[in-house]
Amino acid sequence: MANFFDTVIGRWPAGREDYHWHILPDPEWVRTALFEPYRELTHRDGLAPVAPQWTHVTVLHSGPVDAFRAEEVEQVVDLVRAGCTAIAPFELTLDRPAPGRVALECAGRPGAPARQLWQLTGEATRAVTRDRFPLIPELYYPHASLAYGVATFDHRPLKVSLSDHDHGPVSFLVSKVSLVAQSHDGRFITWRHVRDVSLTG
C-alpha cells in the first residue's frame, strides 16, 4: 500500500480547504458498525485510521474554497437542491473492507443512486463555475475509507487478518448530501460543515 497523501499533494496541498460533496453516515453508527469492529486492522503502522466523525463517502471533490465567490456557492447549492427533489433516500451497503492501492476501503452498493448524486453535484458545479476546476473523480463508485496509507508497506498481512474476520456488510440510510470545506495535514482529513441538502424525491 502507498501513502494516500503523496498521491494528492500536487492537486490538493496540505492545509488548503477544497469544497467536497459527501454522504455522511451518523458518527455513532460508524463507531459501532465500522470503527470498533475493525480497530485491530486500522490502528497499525503505516495506516492513519479515520475517526467516526470524519468517516465519509465522497461524492465529489470540487475546487479550492478561496477560488469560489460566495454567490457561486449558493448557486451550486440551489441547483443541487433542485436536483435532489428527483432523488429518493436510499439504503447504501458498505461491504467488508479490502486493502486498496492507498487505503483500506469498504466498497458501497448500489452504485446507481450514489452516481446520481455525483452527476448532479458535478453538473451543478460545472454550470456555475464554467469548468474552472477539474471535477474529481472522473469515474465514480461509492466507498468509505476506514484508514489511509501514510507509508509504503506490504498489505498482505492485512489480507491475512481480514480472512479471519467475520464482521459482515453494514447498511445505512442516505437521506441527504453534504457540502463541506475539507482539508488535510498529510495524515488526517477534516472539514468544516457548510450545508446539507435533503433527498426529497
Side-chain angles (χ1 to χ4, degrees), residues 24-179:
L24 296 177
D26 178 76
E28 283 308 307
W29 178 86
V30 172
R31 186 179 304 281
T32 58
L34 293 171
F35 187 78
E36 294 300 340
Y38 294 109
R39 176 185 286 274
E40 189 273 329
L41 295 175
T42 58
H43 291 65
R44 294 188 180 192
D45 289 343
L47 288 174
V50 181
Q53 67 269 32
W54 306 120
T55 300
H56 57 283
V57 176
T58 298
V59 174
L60 185 80
H61 182 162
S62 186
V65 168
D66 288 347
F68 276 79
R69 296 186 294 274
E71 63 270 20
E72 290 181 320
V73 176
E74 293 305 316
Q75 290 167 3
V76 171
V77 170
D78 286 345
L79 287 173
V80 171
R81 183 179 293 110
C84 282
T85 62
I87 301 175
F90 61 94
E91 286 278 332
L92 186 66
T93 296
L94 297 177
D95 286 323
R96 287 163 46 82
R101 188 171 61 89
V102 294
L104 185 63
E105 288 185 359
C106 297
R109 54 186 166 86
R115 276 194 301 276
Q116 280 186 281
L117 294 174
W118 166 67
Q119 291 170 338
L120 170 61
T121 54
E123 289 170 1
T125 303
R126 189 174 293 116
V128 172
T129 66
R130 293 179 171 81
D131 291 325
R132 289 207 309 271
F133 318 113
L135 302 180
I136 303 166
E138 293 181 0
L139 296 173
Y140 183 74
Y141 67 96
H143 65 279
S145 295
L146 302 189
Y148 290 104
V150 291
T152 300
F153 68 96
D154 183 356
H155 67 269
R156 289 176 297 174
L158 281 175
K159 289 190 171 185
V160 173
S161 296
L162 278 164
S163 72
D164 295 325
H165 205 292
D166 61 1
H167 192 64
V170 293
S171 301
F172 68 99
L173 180 67
V174 178
S175 60
K176 64 183 179 180
V177 62
S178 300
L179 179 65

